Amino acid sequence: MQLPAHITNLPPYIPIEPFEVLSARLEREPDEICKLDANENPYGMSPRARAALANLTYGHIYPDPESRALRTALAEFTGTPADNLLAGAGADELIDLIFRVALSPGDIILNCPPTFGMYSFDAALNNVKVIDIPRKKDFSLDLDGIINAVEKYSPKLIFISSPNNPDGSLLPQPDLQKLLALSLLIVLDEAYIEFAAPESLGKTHSQISDVPNRDNLIVLRTFSKLAGLAGLRVGYGAFPSWLMPTLWKSKQPYNVNVAASTAALASLEDRPYLRKTVATLVAERERLMAALQEITYLHPYPSSANFILCRVTGLDAAQLKADLAQKHGILIRYFDKSGLKDHIRISVGKPEQTDLLLKALSSYSVSNQ
Ligand SMILES: Cc1ncc(COP(=O)(O)O)c(C=O)c1O
């Protein structure tokens, strides 16, 4: 049987090693691994979420296809009407859903690399063409490039991550206003927004409550980073009213499982825990930033998220990543793609993880390479 060409042309699958396999390969117990490579929340879920999962009663019943209880809680949390909210199995599921409902094969979207890889991955999967408008050297958007590309290619949609993964920069308000004035759908991915404004849990910077006032703005958020629920897969989005009926009829009916929505709801009920862990991570980010700035071979970029991107000079960045894993059990992310050559990204961990990392980093110097 002949598979569609856009599917056979996908890059080969590279399996991500689960924690246990990794721990066996590195010959370290899982708690001896310092995992700073995937922007997870090292504090994990709220004790209330843990207790709610332990007491889960209706695991044998299919979940509510409309995630009503969760959307009602999210409406209060985000200041956005529940009618404009949709929950998903992570923001990832919603990115794929947007492709499937809003785009046809052959349509064009804009992407602004370096950025989160799922936008281009899902584009390839859905046979949608991507025009890249690379970010500038400081990772800000090339607005003129975007405006020209809108005129030239009539793309249907643009993905913007704010704060952007992997550098952590926020999209400035005036830039967003310019984008909103263009005739295309803006998907603003705010997976890390809570780390930009810890006190308000993101509210002071988030655009989510503005979604119902616009026809061309989608905002995506997640519980993975804020609430330590990455393993349970639960995210949500705010969508313009005209798109909601299509989303409802297109999504998988049971996309958010009972455990995920129970944990998400309990997390929202424990706002003090969320506020405290986010504030702790932001304080730790600042400490890590100050320490990284002192390391001669690293050049960290300012970040509003729970990770810090660094350019590496005078050392082989790939070797540094491999060495940290093998010799110290510390996992970081290394990038080898265009615009990010010789860059590493370090997720913000607990203070003891920062200490371990800094000790390991201090054992390298440019001169002894
Ligand atoms: C920018 C961005 N958006 C979305 C996600 C995925 O979120 P979720 O875990 O909710 O699928 C990530 C995960 O790393 C991310 O970096």
Side-chain angles (χ1 to χ4, degrees):
M1 186 187 125
Q2 189 76 32
L3 295 175
H6 73 278
I7 298 294
T8 47
N9 291 340
L10 287 172
Y13 172 62
I14 302 170
I16 291 173
E17 278 184 314
F19 214 36
E20 318 80 75
V21 176
L22 198 68
S23 116
R25 183 165 62 76
L26 296 175
E27 296 175 353
R28 286 171 196 270
E29 289 301 313
D31 13 321
E32 284 170 14
I33 294 177
C34 182
K35 194 171 181 319
L36 305 176
D37 61 343
N39 306 336
E40 288 134 338
N41 183 330
Y43 291 100
M45 68 183 81
S46 140
R48 278 176 87 147
R50 223 175 273 279
L53 288 177
N55 293 319
L56 200 67
T57 327
Y58 292 113
H60 59 299
I61 305 287
Y62 286 107
D64 172 11
E66 293 181 39
S67 300
R68 270 164 271 216
L70 179 57
R71 286 172 44 245
T72 303
L74 283 170
E76 182 269 318
F77 179 57
T78 62
T80 312
D83 284 350
N84 292 88
L85 296 173
L86 190 81
D92 279 354
E93 190 209 3
L94 299 174
I95 294 169
D96 184 49
L97 186 61
I98 291 167
F99 273 99
R100 286 188 290 123
V101 304
L103 300 157
S104 305
D107 276 351
I108 294 175
I109 64 154
L110 301 185
N111 194 29
C112 302
T115 192
F116 186 45
M118 289 306 282
Y119 313 141
S120 51
F121 169 80
D122 282 321
L125 187 62
N126 289 283
N127 207 2
V128 163
K129 195 168 172 222
V130 179
I131 303 283
D132 279 337
I133 311 293
R135 287 168 179 261
K136 296 181 185 168
K137 271 213 146 46
D138 63 356
F139 296 104
S140 62
L141 290 182
D142 173 5
L143 276 176
D144 290 338
I146 291 172
I147 292 166
N148 289 340
V150 169
E151 277 169 20
K152 190 164 169 197
Y153 301 105
S154 305
K156 291 239 170 101
L157 184 153
I158 185 169
F159 281 98
I160 309 282
S161 161
S162 173
N164 187 42
N165 178 5
D167 64 284
S169 63
L170 266 180
L171 178 69
Q173 256 303 324
D175 287 10
L176 176 64
Q177 294 312 318
K178 283 183 194 148
L179 291 173
L180 287 168
L182 300 171
S183 76
L184 82 171
L185 201 49
I186 317 293
V187 183
L188 190 61
D189 182 344
E190 294 188 339
Y192 301 98
I193 198 71
E194 293 86 1
F195 301 98
E199 269 312 302
S200 72
L201 290 178
K203 239 180 189 155
T204 44
H205 290 302
S206 178
Q207 304 301 317
I208 195 163
S209 61
D210 198 28
V211 169
N213 308 325
R214 309 260 173 198
D215 274 344
N216 64 339
L217 177 63
I218 294 174
V219 172
L220 301 178
R221 303 268 292 263
T222 180
F223 285 89
S224 296
K225 324 292 175 180
L226 163 70
L229 298 183
L232 290 182
R233 314 302 302 126
V234 53
Y236 56 100
F239 298 83
S241 303
W242 63 267
L243 195 53
M244 290 304 295
T246 311
L247 291 167
W248 283 124
K249 64 183 182 186
S250 317
K251 79 169 192 73
Q252 294 289 325
Y254 304 126
N255 59 332
V256 183
N257 71 65
V258 174
S261 63
T262 300
L265 260 172
S267 302
L268 288 177
E269 284 162 11
D270 197 353
R271 229 59 70 84
Y273 178 86
L274 298 182
R275 221 171 264 123
K276 185 162 157 244
T277 47
V278 171
T280 307
L281 284 167
V282 168
E284 196 57 19
R285 176 183 77 207
E286 298 312 309
R287 179 170 89 97
L288 177 62
M289 174 65 80
L292 294 176
Q293 280 166 340
E294 296 302 313
I295 297 175
T296 51
Y297 59 86
L298 292 181
H299 309 278
Y301 296 87
S303 170
S304 297
N306 65 339
F307 51 80
I308 297 177
L309 182 74
C310 301
R311 187 164 57 90
V312 183
T313 53
L315 276 190
D316 180 335
Q319 188 58 45
L320 177 65
K321 179 218 153 84
D323 232 53
L324 285 173
Q326 280 306 332
K327 294 195 184 144
H328 305 276
I330 300 170
L331 306 180
I332 59 163
R333 180 80 194 265
Y334 159 70
F335 295 100
D336 180 23
K337 33 186 170 178
S338 117
L340 281 182
K341 292 257 180 258
D342 306 320
H343 283 68
I344 56 169
R345 190 195 64 202
I346 303 168
S347 306
V348 178
K350 294 179 174 177
E352 56 270 30
Q353 294 178 307
T354 304
D355 292 343
L356 199 71
L357 172 79
L358 293 175
K359 184 155 179 261
L361 290 175
S362 71
S363 64
Y364 302 89
S365 69
V366 177
S367 52
N368 69 13
Q369 277 298 294

